[in-house]
Amino acid sequence: MVHELKELIAFYNVENLFSPDPPSVHRLDPTLSGLRNWDEKRYKNKLLKIAQVFQLIKEAEETLPMFIGFSEIQGQAPLDELVTMAPFNSEYGVVHYDSMDERGVDVALIYDKNKVQLVSSEPITYFFEIEDNNPANYDTTRDVLWCKFQYAGQLLNVFVLHLPSKRERNINRPKREFILKDIREKVININSEQNEAVIICGDFNENPDDENVKNLLYDDQSDKILIDPFFELFQNKSYSTFHYKNGLLFDQIILSKEFFGTSFPLHFTSAKVFNHPKLSSWDRKFAGRPFRTYAGTRYLGGYSDHFPVMTEFTVNL
């Protein structure tokens, strides 16, 4: 039996992958991470858990993703350590920039150096004015990471994002709208000037049926320039994270039309939430939900409060 070659692209919100906090002088001192008792032992357990996730993916899919976007990373050091571990075995490169996020969390990307070549990378930084009549005051958020890779003679633009969160009656919705409009303009320029493929992966803090996400998919003439394969998953109640009783699919991978043609080296076949039973909560009350690292300040020792998401492609070379 002949098996078609396939490739995967993944995104994973890893829930506060922070370096361990230095010992506090006083018991009630605030920590750099903002986490309770985030020491070397818990950090190492977290790294091991994240590596295990991708070992499970490798066993289930018979390959590892060629790109993996991450969010909730504090600095590059945890990823530098992660890629030395199995199943990555130092064969993956790391792209990361420190952002001005107030909690110090960033997005990042790792990539299989045997399959793709990094051409360029840059962070896209956003500033938002605070309405207090003081021009020196502004609000910051996590950068968007923009990388360009070469694969089989084709250029791939990969955007990794973690949009401002839904909190305080959705006060950040205009910020998400602004960032997505900016990315949309960049995609339109890529289409008109370079005609290169685009991948946008991340935690959108919006579901696939929200207007901000749907508007990203169309140009100024209302022609579709991007396809969100996670829309159908969401319609079928496939979720990557939960808020109280609500299932959410904030984690998505959006693709340009090249991946749906017949002549491009990567042809889209499926999208999925990798909700392996080992990554799910042991508590019957939360069955089917991610086994998280913390619940508030209570340490559970799990993987993340999100499941990874993936897109699968057949290879046409």
Side-chain angles (χ1 to χ4, degrees):
M1 182 177 178
V2 177
H3 292 277
E4 287 186 308
L5 288 175
K6 73 174 183 181
E7 295 291 359
L8 302 172
I9 293 171
F11 173 79
Y12 196 13
N13 179 327
V14 290
E15 188 199 345
N16 299 325
L17 180 54
F18 283 33
S19 296
D21 288 321
S24 58
V25 177
H26 301 290
R27 186 172 61 88
L28 298 179
D29 283 349
T31 61
L32 293 176
S33 68
L35 303 173
R36 188 175 183 181
N37 299 324
W38 188 246
D39 56 17
E40 184 76 17
K41 181 179 179 181
R42 290 184 176 181
Y43 166 71
K44 292 293 187 183
N45 181 60
K46 177 84 170 183
L47 273 184
L48 183 62
K49 286 282 201 303
I50 301 302
Q52 286 174 349
V53 170
F54 290 96
Q55 184 62 48
L56 289 170
I57 289 175
K58 184 178 181 182
E59 291 169 4
E61 303 292 337
E62 299 182 339
T63 189
L64 282 171
M66 60 193 292
F67 298 120
I68 304 166
F70 290 101
S71 68
E72 298 206 11
I73 301 290
Q74 185 202 54
Q76 187 167 325
L79 288 182
D80 285 341
E81 192 167 351
L82 178 67
V83 296
T84 66
M85 302 167 66
F88 301 113
N89 301 320
S90 300
E91 295 183 347
Y92 277 67
V94 177
V95 187
H96 167 269
Y97 294 89
D98 288 317
S99 76
M100 296 181 70
D101 177 75
E102 60 186 15
R103 290 187 58 238
V105 295
D106 311 314
V107 297
L109 181 142
I110 67 173
Y111 62 95
D112 188 334
K113 294 182 289 187
N114 298 313
K115 293 180 178 178
V116 295
Q117 178 184 355
L118 179 64
V119 176
S120 64
S121 67
E122 63 177 285
I124 309 170
T125 303
Y126 298 93
F127 300 93
F128 300 96
E129 291 184 9
I130 298 174
E131 295 181 4
D132 62 357
N133 297 320
N134 184 349
N137 288 344
Y138 55 87
D139 191 17
T140 58
T141 187
R142 299 167 283 263
D143 292 343
V144 172
L145 177 61
W146 181 6
C147 300
K148 189 171 288 196
F149 291 92
Q150 188 169 64
Y151 173 82
Q154 299 286 337
L155 289 174
L156 310 178
N157 293 270
V158 184
F159 294 87
V160 187
L161 55 81
H162 184 188
L163 297 185
S165 62
K166 282 192 172 181
R167 57 179 172 82
E168 298 174 15
R169 299 182 181 179
N170 209 8
I171 193 173
N172 286 325
R173 188 181 192 280
K175 296 177 185 177
R176 295 195 298 274
E177 181 180 8
F178 180 89
I179 293 170
L180 289 179
K181 280 184 176 178
D182 182 63
I183 294 173
R184 175 180 168 272
E185 289 303 312
K186 287 176 169 54
V187 172
I188 290 171
N189 289 337
I190 290 168
N191 281 348
S192 63
E193 296 176 10
Q194 290 93 19
N195 197 29
E196 299 164 359
V198 174
I199 301 157
I200 305 172
C201 65
D203 180 343
F204 287 73
N205 267 299
E206 307 230 7
N207 287 312
D209 65 347
D210 283 322
E211 285 301 311
N212 278 341
V213 176
K214 291 197 292 185
N215 291 339
L216 173 66
L217 309 181
Y218 296 88
D219 65 14
D220 295 334
Q221 287 73 46
S222 299
D223 292 326
K224 202 162 195 179
I225 55 173
L226 296 166
I227 296 169
D228 187 355
F230 287 80
F231 184 85
E232 186 175 348
L233 283 181
F234 183 65
Q235 299 281 61
N236 293 328
K237 296 180 168 49
S238 184
Y239 306 126
S240 59
T241 190
F242 292 80
H243 182 67
Y244 294 108
K245 293 183 178 180
N246 297 320
L248 306 168
L249 190 49
F250 287 172
D251 307 286
Q252 300 162 56
I253 301 171
I254 295 175
L255 306 167
S256 61
K257 295 168 74 174
E258 284 83 358
F259 296 99
F260 298 84
T262 56
S263 60
F264 201 67
L266 293 171
H267 182 77
F268 172 82
T269 54
S270 66
K272 63 189 76 176
V273 176
F274 190 73
N275 53 359
H276 193 285
K278 289 187 177 180
L279 309 186
S280 299
S281 176
W282 301 345
D283 188 333
R284 288 185 182 179
K285 188 168 65 173
F286 301 108
R289 299 188 176 204
F291 179 25
R292 55 195 301 164
T293 307
Y294 277 88
T297 59
R298 186 163 59 97
Y299 179 70
L300 303 179
Y303 298 83
S304 173
D305 56 357
H306 290 242
F307 290 125
V309 296
M310 298 189 298
T311 46
E312 181 181 314
F313 307 83
T314 54
V315 178
N316 306 313
L317 296 178

